[in-house]
Structures are given as structure tokens and as C-alpha cells.
Amino acid sequence: MAAKPALRRRVLNISSKQFSTSTRSRAGIAAPEINFKNPTEAGGSDGEAPLFYARLVPDSPSYFTAQPVFTDDLLSLQNLLQRYASLPVVKPGEAPRVAWQTLAEYRNIVGEPVKATKYQRILEILHRLNHIHPSLMPAEVTSTLNQYKREVNPFKNTAKSPFIDEWGKALGVGRRKTSTARAWVVEGTGEILINGKTLAQTFGRVHDRESAVWALKATGRIDKYNVWALVSGGGTTGQAEAMTLAVAKALLAHEPDLKPALRRAGCITRDPRKVERKKPGKRKARKMPAWVKR
Amino acid sequence: MASSGCWKCLARPSGSLTSQLALRTPGVSAAFSTTTARAALPIKAKKPSQARPALKAKGSKTLRIKKKAPAKPSGKPPMPGERKAMRKRIVLSNTNALEVPMMDFNEHMVADPTMAGKVVALPGEVVDSLRAVEAFKVNQGWGLFRKPALLLREESAVLGQKMVAAEKNKEAVRLVIDGERGSGKSLMLLHALSAAFLRGWIVLSIPEAQDLCNASTEYAPLPGTNPTIYTQNVYTANFLAQIQKSNSVLQTLHVTKSHNLPIPLPEKTTLARLCELGARDPDISWPIFQAFWAEITGPARPPVLFTLDSLSFTMGLSAYRSASYELIHAHDLALVQHFVTYLSGEKPLPNGGAILGATSRSHAPVSASLELALKQALEKQQHGEIMTKKDPYGKKYDTRAEDKLKSVEVLKLKGLSKVEARGLMEYWAQSGLLRSRVDERLVTEKWALAGNGIVGEIERGVLRMRI
């Protein structure tokens, strides 16, 4: 039981010497034939083809259940847990965060209509096994857990914390619509240069100017930092609002405590809206062609 | 009556015939006598589309919604010239604004760098003179305050020092004021004008070069000139009137030289009277202007300030046409030529003075030669050498403009410093226009939003964009 792979075990090692194709089709559900060879000739001769027996013996005792693979999995996990239940565990919530395979993914692998409540039983055992203390985690358990893990662990993807380099400048990157802004923020006296131009030269609209430095203005830091930024792509509104995010992120490197204030000012969340694609049969994304009589 | 259908088709009369008959029936059937029918106007045959509205022309499938007729303007239209008068009206005082205690601008403040950041009031007589030379412009927001006042800047002290030195050494300051849009170029000219008025200079000012070059005033070739020079007599007459009105000094100065003028000039004529004579008759305004200039550049006269705004209009072709229908170069216009000759330094000002030009960055043609000259002059002033070379393939350069701009100085205006911005905003707060507390934070915020202190943008952000 221990050496048996939990999942992906449906393709078995089938001898290439099988003469009948029908045996091959049965391989998935049936155990290999019992060799009733004469013990005297069992040692040397292998040139003789094995005999074909009509009666098939199931590979697993759970063959006659509704979801045999699932049942096997559950039983093997229960077995595993039973064996290692005495190992010390970490406190609840301190185990490494793992994203298990979703129900849909599991169903896809086993090829059986597993119910959510049933799968939940597997997850409970996995969760318990995951709480075994990492220093004492048996290799067997680790390999079994790995089989149930999602391909990519989303919890490993953590945001990089912004930092201030040796010259005292912090870089922040912001995006909006199709614009991208990179802002380097240093302590200073409120001078702002965007693409080598002043704020007034870059943005004709006063509203856009305010958007660009909104992170500083909303927190009352406009006279305490200098900003040097590069903006590209998109139009003026996009560029100005990309600047908002970039400046806010760079400002967070200097003053991390400003995060709640900046979130209230709307400088933390990236606006995900983009131009909606055009659809066939429509003039634009949503607009229908004009009504025509007949 | 001849039928419109042919005789073979009598059995099936055409549609138009039946309709005609049907329409005429009352007249035809009622009259035993034909008189009334004859006397009455013949009934017009209706168009087939009106007679049968159900039938539509073939092929028109689209939905047609009848458009509304445009609304007719109600009320009396403004009288001729009323709109322009309204547009050009300069309001210099606002009784709703609070009175601000401040010093009057005087001749000692002109070159004083310690006054930077202070707002000073313009004295009444200077305001009158400035109004006469059209130094105040419509969009400068004079109507927001109780009385006209001026912010003294570091750059204005620099310009003032140059003017004072020129007065002392009897030299000419030849300077072009440049800077981005809203950086206070025209106000710097106004500062120079008021300084000159205060120091008793003779002031000539062309408030907008556009008026000279965009073919909106009369022009005529000057006889006996080759290449032909064109005078703008009406403009020159008006110019002389402005000079006479604005310069009170001219009342005390008398004609000393003998001039070859089309009109006899009495002995002991004052220069003010001379200007008046020129202003009265546009035909002789140009010779009188020349005589006037000869007088003021004569010995023992006060220094002269000659300014021109929107310089780039004069650095290329004007909109005027010659007799052979070619565009006239702006330097062939007599008054412009006069200005650029002195700006280039070809002729000196023997009593000292200043020739100032200011560029315009909002509504003016781009003159490649002027841009290059300004850039090179600035590099020469800052680094001692010219780094920008003329584009060898550039076709937009104007050789005549280049010649004239070779040796001019540049005064590049940048944004206000924070001290100056603070002085200005405190003045606004005292006038009751800015209702918030003027502190470091507000000043820096407005200063930064205005592109590092561009004064026009500060004004826009603080006074005009109030939500």
C-alpha cells in the first residue's frame, strides 16, 4: 500500500507479450492474471506465452464501489494518517499554507464523479497531515501531500516590499488603462519632474496634475518629497492616474505607516478597468447597429 | 382643353388627369357662367407626393426623423463694435476686493533685489500711462483687485539693475524676455514700462506685434525706398497718440532740430505737440515719427524705452502682400524695421535706454530662427559658449531674423521662488480672494501643482479654479 502511487495509477504495467487485445482493454480494471505455472518449469523457460484465463480478478477490493479510485485514495490517506497520528503537530494555523487541488481538478484526474462532501474528507486528512511538525515530517507523507498539491502555489507569490536605495530614492511602479509610470521619490522640497518636464508642462488639465501628485497631496507630504518620474503609454488621464499609484508605492517605502491613509485616498488599489473589446455584430463593444426598417 | 393622355387611351385616363378633374369639379360644375371661374385664381395642381402621401419613393429604407428647426435668437443683437469693446475692456479696479496696505512702487525699488517677493501698488499716474500704452491686457486678472499692483521678483530686479546701469552709462539694453507660457513675460515688460515711467524715461510700446503683422491695419509703400518699405500710417498715428498721452515728459521737451516735414512746424514746438500733429493726420504720421525719434535721440534727452510684445510675429513673413502679390517680410514694415534695427544694435541709443522684446508662448507663430537665437544666447550667457548648432538641413530659418538676433541678450523667466509665491498668495489672501490660511504647505502645494511656480498656473490654480 505504501509504495503504491496514490493518483495516476490507472495505467498499469502490462506485459508487451500479451497476445490478446482484449486483455489490454481490461488492464485498467483487472489484476494481472495469476500465473499457475508448473513450479518445476517456472525457473528457466520464458519463451512460452502465458495462458489466457477468462475470469478476471479486480485489482482493488474497492472495484465494486461507485468511485473505486476515490475510495482507494481515501483509504490510503486514512491509513497514512493512522500510522503517523502520533507525530507531534504544529499549532493550528502555523502549518505552511498550501493550496490543494480543487474539486474540479481532482475529478479530472480520477475521472470519477466525486461529490464535494466526499472530497472534503480527503481535504480534512490532508490538512491534518500537513500539520505534522516540519522537522519530523516523513518523506512518505511529503510525497503523498505533493501529489495533492496544486501545480502552482499561489501563497508563495508575495508582494515585494519596496525599499530605499543607498541614495535615498524609492521606486514605485503604477499602471492605469494602458499607461505605466515609474516614480522615484526622494526627500526634498516638492519639486516634480515627469519625463523631464514640469507638472504644468506634462498635464494641461489641473485635474490631471492633482491626480499625479494625489498620494502626496492627500497625505500632506507634497512639500517633503521630490518626485522624478517616467511615464509612457496611454493618454493623459491614464498617465496621471498611473502616476498616483507609482508615487503612492514609492511613498510607502519611506513611510509604511501611511498605507491606511493612502488606501482611503484611493492610491493603493489598481483600477483594473480597461477598454472593452469590440464584438462582431456590434458597432463597438456594446453598441448595436442602427435600426433599419425591413 | 387638350388632354394630357393620348386619344387611344381615353378608356383609361392617367392618374394626373383624374386628379385634376376631381380638383376642378366644384368650379366646373357650379358655373353656368364662366366669369367667377375665370376671375378666380387657377387652382394649383398638387404634387403627386402630396396627393398620395402613402406612396414613398423607392429605395428609401432608412428611418427618417424630422429634425427640429434651429432656435431663433431672441433679443436685440449687439451694435457694431459693441462686442469688441466688451472683449477689449480693461477693468483695473474692483470695489468688492479688500484694500491691501502696501507700498507704492517707486524708482528706488526698481533695482532693489531685497524687494523680491513683495507686492507693490502702481501709482496713479503710472497706471494712467500704462493704460495709455495698452500695457494691461484683458486676461491678466486686473479686475479682481482693488487697484493694480505688481509682484517684484528676482528677475525684475535683474532687469531693473540693467536699466539703471544703462541710464548711467548711456548704453542700450537689448534684451528678449523669454519663458514658458504663463511665466510672466508680459508682466515683466509692464514692470520695465512702469520703471521707465517712474524714472522719467521716454516710453514707446507696441503692446502686440500681431496687430502690426497680421494685415489688419492699412499699409502703403514708402516712396523712394529700395527695397520697398511699407508704412502703416493709421497704426503709426495711433502709436504717436499713445506716446503723447503716456509720456508727460514730452510736455517739457522742445524741438531743437530742423526737420523736412510736409507741414510747417512753429518754433518752440513741444514734442508732445509734435506727436499730436502726427496723430491727427495719418498721412504724415511716419515722417513725424521719424522726426520725433530724431529729437528724442538727440543730445541731452532722457533715456528711451522701446518695448514690443509677441516678438515672433516680427521674425518672419507678415500677412501683407506686395504689388506683385508676394508676402512682405515683417522687417520691410517701417515700424517693425525701426524696432529690430535698434534691437539688433545696428544703431545706438545715444542717451541710453532699453529695447525690450518679449516672446509669446500661447498664441504666436513658431519662429525657428528666434528659437535658435534665444537658445544660443542663453547658452552663451550660462556656459560662455554656444553648444546648439543650427540645423544644416533646416529650411524654416529666416536669414533676416537671424542677422538681427545675433547679439541680443536673453532674460529667461522661470517659475517663482517659494518666497515670491508666498508673497503673492498673501496679497491674494489680503485682497479676500484666497480664503484659506497661507502657510508653507499650501504654498508648496500650489507651487508644485503649477509646474514649479509658473505664476500664471499658480493664479489659475488658486484664483480661477476654485471649486
Side-chain angles (χ1 to χ4, degrees):
Chain A
M1 192 76 179
K4 189 175 147 190
L7 298 177
R8 300 177 192 83
R9 81 185 85 69
R10 298 201 294 147
V11 180
L12 300 172
N13 286 335
I14 299 157
S15 166
S16 58
K17 286 180 182 173
Q18 297 290 348
F19 61 88
S20 164
T21 51
S22 60
T23 328
R24 196 177 290 266
S25 68
R26 284 186 297 243
I29 53 169
E33 294 84 356
I34 304 156
N35 194 352
F36 293 112
K37 268 181 191 167
N38 194 343
T40 52
E41 53 184 335
S45 73
D46 57 339
E48 203 179 319
L51 291 170
F52 175 73
Y53 296 98
R55 181 179 169 277
L56 294 173
V57 182
D59 188 17
S60 155
S62 55
Y63 172 67
F64 296 103
T65 63
Q67 287 98 23
V69 183
F70 165 76
T71 316
D72 279 345
D73 286 348
L74 185 63
L75 288 172
S76 68
L77 283 171
Q78 280 172 343
N79 190 312
L80 200 64
L81 181 58
Q82 208 172 10
R83 272 189 283 145
Y84 297 113
S86 57
L87 287 179
V89 291
V90 293
K91 279 182 196 164
E94 283 183 6
R97 220 172 158 199
V98 176
W100 305 114
Q101 268 161 1
T102 60
L103 176 62
E105 281 169 345
Y106 181 74
R107 273 181 189 158
N108 214 13
I109 288 164
V110 300
E112 290 170 354
V114 184
K115 282 186 177 174
T117 44
K118 297 270 179 81
Y119 186 54
Q120 193 57 37
R121 295 175 66 187
I122 286 188
L123 289 185
E124 276 164 15
I125 298 167
L126 290 173
H127 190 69
R128 170 65 184 75
L129 287 172
N130 193 37
H131 273 72
I132 295 173
H133 200 281
S135 59
L136 297 167
M137 182 75 87
E140 187 191 354
V141 177
T142 313
S143 67
T144 311
L145 289 184
N146 280 345
Q147 284 166 1
Y148 287 91
K149 278 179 186 171
R150 224 180 278 173
E151 295 288 329
V152 177
N153 186 1
F155 303 114
K156 272 188 177 172
N157 184 16
T158 49
K160 283 177 212 157
S161 58
F163 63 95
I164 305 171
D165 66 9
E166 66 262 47
W167 294 286
K169 55 189 168 63
L171 168 64
V173 179
R175 291 187 185 86
R176 167 85 169 95
K177 292 189 181 181
T178 51
S179 309
T180 311
R182 279 173 289 160
W184 284 267
V185 173
V186 290
E187 286 181 23
T189 54
E191 292 189 35
I192 294 151
L193 278 185
I194 301 168
N195 291 347
K197 291 182 283 183
T198 63
L199 204 52
Q201 287 168 328
T202 316
F203 299 116
R205 285 180 73 210
V206 175
H207 187 273
D208 286 342
R209 288 178 207 164
E210 297 214 350
S211 298
V213 291
W214 183 244
L216 294 171
K217 202 183 162 189
T219 52
R221 298 289 191 278
I222 205 161
D223 52 342
K224 300 197 172 48
Y225 293 97
N226 287 355
V227 180
W228 192 90
L230 294 175
V231 197
S232 63
T236 47
T237 309
Q239 293 197 338
E241 294 183 10
M243 276 288 296
T244 313
L245 258 67
V247 172
K249 281 189 193 168
L251 181 60
L252 278 182
H254 289 276
E255 293 180 67
D257 294 346
L258 284 180
K259 190 156 186 178
L262 286 172
R263 186 177 289 288
R264 267 178 269 125
C267 301
I268 300 290
T269 312
R270 197 255 205 241
D271 191 344
R273 290 176 296 173
K274 291 218 170 195
V275 175
E276 189 174 335
R277 65 152 291 191
K278 188 201 171 296
K279 278 103 186 167
K282 304 227 174 185
R283 288 274 183 263
K284 304 196 288 181
R286 308 270 178 99
K287 186 185 183 186
M288 287 299 289
W291 176 80
V292 179
K293 190 183 180 186
R294 260 164 281 131
Chain B
M1 187 186 104
S3 119
S4 60
C6 74
W7 61 275
K8 282 180 182 173
C9 323
L10 280 173
R12 287 185 286 118
S14 64
S16 62
L17 188 64
T18 42
S19 66
Q20 272 180 5
L21 282 175
L23 288 165
R24 283 200 176 184
T25 27
V28 169
S29 61
F32 284 102
S33 159
T34 55
T35 30
T36 41
R38 274 184 191 165
L41 286 170
I43 298 159
K44 277 182 191 169
K46 278 187 180 174
K47 282 176 191 170
S49 64
Q50 284 173 324
R52 284 177 292 177
L55 284 185
K56 268 191 173 178
K58 257 190 175 179
S60 67
K61 278 189 170 179
T62 51
L63 174 74
R64 278 181 198 156
I65 298 161
K66 222 179 178 183
K67 278 182 185 165
K68 277 183 189 171
K72 280 182 185 170
S74 57
K76 207 180 84 180
M79 297 297 287
E82 204 175 310
R83 281 200 193 114
K84 189 175 183 182
M86 200 66 180
R87 205 174 65 228
K88 300 263 174 184
R89 198 165 59 122
I90 309 269
V91 181
L92 291 182
S93 176
N94 184 355
T95 45
N96 291 323
L98 301 175
E99 188 106 46
V100 182
M102 54 186 165
M103 285 185 284
D104 265 9
F105 191 36
N106 61 38
E107 63 268 30
H108 306 298
M109 290 179 188
V110 169
D112 189 359
T114 56
M115 288 295 286
K118 299 237 167 55
V119 177
V120 290
L122 292 171
E125 63 273 22
V126 173
V127 171
D128 291 343
S129 297
L130 289 172
R131 199 195 253 280
V133 295
E134 294 178 28
F136 298 113
K137 295 188 178 175
V138 245
N139 50 1
Q140 287 170 340
W142 300 105
L144 296 171
F145 304 97
R146 179 61 77 99
K147 60 181 188 177
L150 200 58
L151 172 74
L152 298 180
R153 304 169 55 167
E154 287 164 25
E155 287 98 335
S156 52
V158 170
L159 180 61
Q161 282 165 352
K162 280 183 203 268
M163 286 172 72
V164 171
E167 187 181 342
K168 199 175 161 191
N169 305 332
K170 295 198 182 295
E171 287 168 352
V173 181
R174 296 177 293 109
L175 191 78
V176 175
I177 300 168
D178 188 30
E180 68 178 86
R181 193 168 71 108
S183 58
K185 301 178 289 293
S186 295
L187 261 293
M188 191 56 70
L189 275 192
L190 189 134
H191 176 271
L193 288 171
S194 38
F197 282 125
L198 284 169
R199 298 184 77 86
W201 291 24
I202 296 170
V203 176
L204 292 77
S205 168
I206 296 172
E208 185 59 61
Q210 193 180 176
D211 298 343
L212 276 173
C213 301
N214 68 358
S216 58
T217 178
E218 289 170 27
Y219 71 118
L222 194 62
T225 49
N226 189 27
T228 318
I229 302 296
Y230 297 84
T231 57
Q232 288 151 301
N233 293 334
V234 173
Y235 190 94
T236 314
N238 184 40
F239 188 47
L240 284 171
Q242 284 184 3
I243 293 168
Q244 185 255 326
K245 209 174 162 191
S246 57
N247 292 288
S248 51
V249 195
L250 298 181
Q251 307 281 358
T252 58
L253 303 175
H254 295 272
V255 175
T256 52
K257 295 179 180 177
S258 64
H259 302 284
N260 185 19
L261 289 175
I263 50 162
L265 214 58
E267 284 284 312
K268 284 279 185 184
T269 313
T270 61
L271 291 185
R273 175 70 187 151
L274 182 68
C275 289
E276 210 182 321
L277 289 172
R280 198 185 289 166
D281 187 0
D283 289 344
I284 56 163
S285 59
W286 180 247
I288 291 209
F289 176 76
Q290 282 179 310
F292 170 71
W293 187 265
E295 285 294 336
I296 60 173
T297 49
R301 298 287 195 194
V304 177
L305 174 68
F306 196 0
T307 66
L308 181 139
D309 207 343
S310 305
L311 191 64
S312 64
F313 279 98
T314 65
M315 292 299 157
L317 295 173
S318 72
Y320 289 104
R321 300 260 178 191
S322 66
S324 53
Y325 203 66
E326 279 156 358
L327 286 170
I328 298 170
H329 195 279
H331 291 186
D332 286 337
L333 302 170
L335 208 50
V336 176
Q337 191 194 42
H338 185 81
F339 178 81
V340 292
T341 310
Y342 283 91
L343 182 69
S344 65
E346 283 167 32
K347 290 182 185 171
L349 288 176
N351 304 314
I355 311 290
L356 303 182
T359 59
S360 169
R361 292 290 175 200
S362 49
H363 175 67
V366 176
S367 165
S369 302
L370 179 64
E371 297 299 319
L372 181 74
L374 292 179
K375 199 165 188 188
Q376 289 182 340
L378 198 66
E379 284 169 357
K380 211 172 175 180
Q381 277 164 227
Q382 288 176 345
H383 310 290
E385 55 168 342
I386 293 170
M387 290 180 285
T388 309
K389 294 278 186 294
K390 186 181 169 183
D391 177 12
Y393 303 104
K395 288 177 181 168
K396 291 179 179 172
Y397 294 115
D398 188 301
T399 43
R400 296 181 69 176
E402 270 171 42
D403 284 349
K404 303 289 180 187
L405 293 168
K406 259 177 199 162
S407 64
V408 289
E409 245 183 294
V410 178
L411 179 67
K412 184 89 178 174
L413 293 186
K414 283 181 270 174
L416 298 183
S417 71
K418 296 228 178 97
V419 178
E420 291 161 356
R422 186 170 192 140
L424 191 60
M425 287 169 76
E426 273 168 3
Y427 168 64
W428 290 339
Q430 281 175 314
S431 298
L433 287 162
L434 176 59
R435 305 293 285 274
S436 45
R437 226 181 86 222
V438 179
D439 55 6
E440 190 62 40
R441 194 177 147 186
L442 182 83
V443 170
T444 316
E445 182 193 313
K446 299 296 177 191
W447 182 89
L449 284 176
N452 297 0
I454 295 301
V455 61
E457 297 290 345
I458 297 181
E459 191 211 5
R460 190 176 159 202
V462 178
L463 297 188
R464 301 193 188 266
M465 297 287 290
R466 282 182 299 172
I467 303 158

